[in-house]
Amino acid sequence: MPPDRWDAELAWLQLHDSAFPSGRFVHSNGLEAWLAAHPAAGAEVIAAVIEAHLRHNVGTLDAVCVAHAYRAGSTADLVRLDRLVRAHKLSAAARTASESCGRQLALAARRTLAPLDHDEFLGLVAAGETPGNLAVVEGVVHRGLSIGLARAVLGHLRSAYSGMLSAGVRLGRIGPLETQRRLFAGAPLLVELAGAAVETPIDGISAVTPELDVYAMRHETTAARLFST
Amino acid sequence: MTGAIRIGIGGPVGSGKTRLLERLLPMFATAGIDTAVITNDLMTEEDAERVRRSGLIDPARVMAVETGACPHTAIREDPSANLAAIDVLERRFAGLEVVLIESGGDNLAATFTSDLVDYWVFVIDTAAGDDIPRKKGLGLLQADLLVVNKIDLAPLVGADLDLMRRDVAVARPGKPTIFTDLRSGVGLDEAFDRIVRDALTLGVLT
């Protein structure tokens, strides 16, 4: 690897380090409510739910839109894509998770990652003039840091996977070692989903995880909760 | 950091954070300081609802933030959710001067990041043990102001206030500590004066 590429590799690691302050840790994407309704579910079942979310929601909607944002030809194209993503986020919880994390990533990136200081689209997100969905912001941020397209999409999927598993750990339902085992064993799934996402046309996006969506909507009106979504 | 001054209130569960908030709100109002509140409840919106129902502040000025089971993370490593809430409040109330941010009840190591607050208060109480200052938790060591609350309970639980004063002086040389009974109001004026004076030194309040 040429020495200058290390910069991009390190930037990729930084973006997907759980220490990067983009607010992902307050979102369980319906998992908290689902776990409350399934007190007997063990690690195997919980992992299957999370993997279904990846396979039928993150992989087929967000990951595809990361790729399209990365390849967008103009800021106007990004704004249109951003609105399209919002239209596909059916529940308020899904919109909240996507837009709050995207907005926080945009704000943090502008403050801390020099090549993105004056990015026009991130500026619109910061000003509240476009929703700032995480997938679109991530595409822009990865391209701005010269991180490759495939890595951008793979990183998005990997962060979504680890974030959901981490929620399971903090809710006391999966062990941290089991989580790491799953993350390692899940590599082929992430690679498969990333490969498909990069090839999917924009009119092929979809998000179909009705059970988790219902629990995410129930979570919106739950009085006792630890996560925003 | 621009906009309203941000004042954090942290400390263990039950130490009196929400009580301090409730006591300070009328004082900020009387002083003509435009104020809003963010609560970081651990599990529910209980604290936010308590403040909203108190009649002490317009309920629209109170926001609750969930912390993903990590109250310390939300005020330290990743304050994103709180920063977003501040953003909402500042857009909603153009003349906002102060945002009081109450942390979720946490342990003695909890600290507020300077990316989130300009000034912060750590609240402990005598009933949790008079050895807390000696343990030198980061919250107690680093807070701009330490409030030792429930001094009225000290004799009932065998807490030695003189010992606590000595240990606090050792743990926080040069930093202010105020001993309070927030239910009756003992020490409250001193706490308010201190917070406002320190906020003035930040050049935000006039």
Side-chain angles (χ1 to χ4, degrees):
Chain A
M1 182 183 293
D4 59 332
R5 296 300 304 146
W6 288 113
D7 291 350
E9 291 297 311
L10 289 171
W12 188 56
L13 288 175
Q14 185 174 353
L15 284 177
H16 296 287
D17 186 335
S18 63
F20 195 90
S22 55
R24 295 174 197 253
F25 77 101
V26 302
H27 299 285
S28 81
N29 299 292
L31 186 65
E32 181 180 6
W34 188 91
L35 289 173
H38 297 82
E44 199 68 35
V45 178
I46 295 167
V49 169
I50 294 171
E51 284 164 18
H53 179 66
L54 276 182
R55 189 176 283 283
H56 303 294
N57 195 317
V58 180
T60 51
L61 172 59
D62 302 275
V64 177
C65 291
V66 171
H68 282 275
Y70 190 100
R71 292 186 293 233
S74 68
T75 300
D77 288 345
L78 288 167
V79 170
R80 276 193 290 276
L81 180 63
D82 201 16
R83 289 174 181 157
L84 183 66
V85 177
R86 173 182 269 186
H88 278 262
K89 299 284 181 185
L90 295 184
S91 68
R95 290 190 292 277
T96 296
S98 178
E99 293 173 18
S100 65
C101 291
R103 178 173 164 75
Q104 289 308 317
L105 173 59
L107 293 172
R110 277 162 54 90
R111 285 184 64 178
T112 61
L113 308 173
L116 298 165
D117 280 356
H118 302 294
D119 182 273
E120 186 180 12
F121 177 75
L122 299 185
L124 291 176
V125 175
E129 293 176 21
T130 187
N133 284 282
L134 181 60
V136 184
V137 172
E138 282 212 330
V140 170
V141 168
H142 282 81
R143 184 181 62 187
L145 297 175
S146 302
I147 299 165
L149 169 60
R151 270 182 164 60
V153 175
L154 194 59
H156 181 85
L157 284 157
R158 204 277 184 184
S159 286
Y161 194 21
S162 65
M164 289 278 276
L165 287 167
S166 171
V169 171
R170 281 175 282 144
L171 288 163
R173 300 289 292 274
I174 313 180
L177 294 178
E178 174 66 12
T179 290
Q180 294 305 315
R181 192 182 73 75
R182 295 269 169 195
L183 276 173
F184 189 75
L189 171 65
L190 298 181
V191 171
E192 174 201 332
L193 293 175
V198 169
E199 299 296 326
T200 302
I202 198 62
D203 59 3
I205 57 175
S206 64
V208 188
T209 46
E211 184 176 357
L212 212 48
D213 288 345
V214 166
Y215 281 102
M217 287 185 265
R218 287 180 180 170
H219 183 89
E220 291 168 19
T221 55
T222 301
R225 63 190 193 190
L226 289 162
F227 288 78
S228 286
T229 65
Chain B
M1 200 179 284
T2 58
I5 187 170
R6 304 156 184 190
I7 298 172
I9 301 175
V13 174
S15 57
K17 298 182 296 300
T18 310
R19 177 75 70 181
L20 177 61
L21 199 59
E22 290 172 332
R23 288 300 215 159
L24 290 175
L25 284 174
M27 302 174 90
F28 275 107
T30 301
I33 298 170
D34 198 327
T35 307
V37 172
I38 297 171
T39 64
N40 286 239
D41 283 319
L42 187 59
M43 188 71 193
T44 69
E45 287 207 5
E46 183 122 350
D47 288 345
E49 279 303 310
R50 175 172 155 184
V51 177
R52 286 183 189 123
R53 290 176 185 150
S54 67
L56 300 170
I57 188 169
D58 174 2
R61 289 175 173 267
V62 182
M63 289 187 67
V65 166
E66 292 90 359
T67 59
C70 295
H72 52 281
T73 305
I75 61 168
R76 192 175 59 196
E77 292 96 326
D78 188 347
S80 302
N82 278 297
L83 291 171
I86 291 169
D87 187 52
V88 168
L89 289 167
E90 288 183 337
R91 286 168 190 264
R92 194 180 290 167
F93 303 104
L96 195 61
E97 294 175 282
V98 166
V99 181
L100 296 168
I101 304 166
E102 181 189 354
S103 79
D106 209 330
N107 60 37
L108 299 175
T111 56
F112 278 88
T113 171
S114 58
D115 282 349
L116 176 63
V117 299
D118 302 288
Y119 181 90
W120 59 285
V121 184
F122 197 72
V123 184
I124 61 173
D125 73 281
T126 64
D130 61 8
D131 57 344
I132 286 182
R134 206 161 51 248
K135 292 178 178 173
K136 296 183 178 175
L138 287 176
L140 183 142
L141 293 178
Q142 295 183 5
D144 296 298
L145 172 64
L146 175 68
V147 169
V148 181
N149 189 30
K150 304 185 186 178
I151 56 173
D152 54 316
L153 296 184
L156 303 176
V157 297
D160 184 338
L161 282 178
D162 290 333
L163 174 68
M164 293 186 85
R165 285 194 174 89
R166 285 196 300 274
D167 288 342
V168 161
V170 171
R172 295 170 49 81
K175 287 189 168 185
T177 299
I178 299 172
F179 285 71
T180 65
D181 168 9
L182 291 172
R183 281 193 73 197
S184 69
V186 172
L188 182 62
D189 287 343
E190 189 184 356
F192 177 73
D193 290 346
R194 186 86 212 187
I195 291 169
V196 171
R197 190 168 71 228
D198 288 343
L200 274 168
T201 65
L202 293 169
V204 180
L205 296 178
T206 56

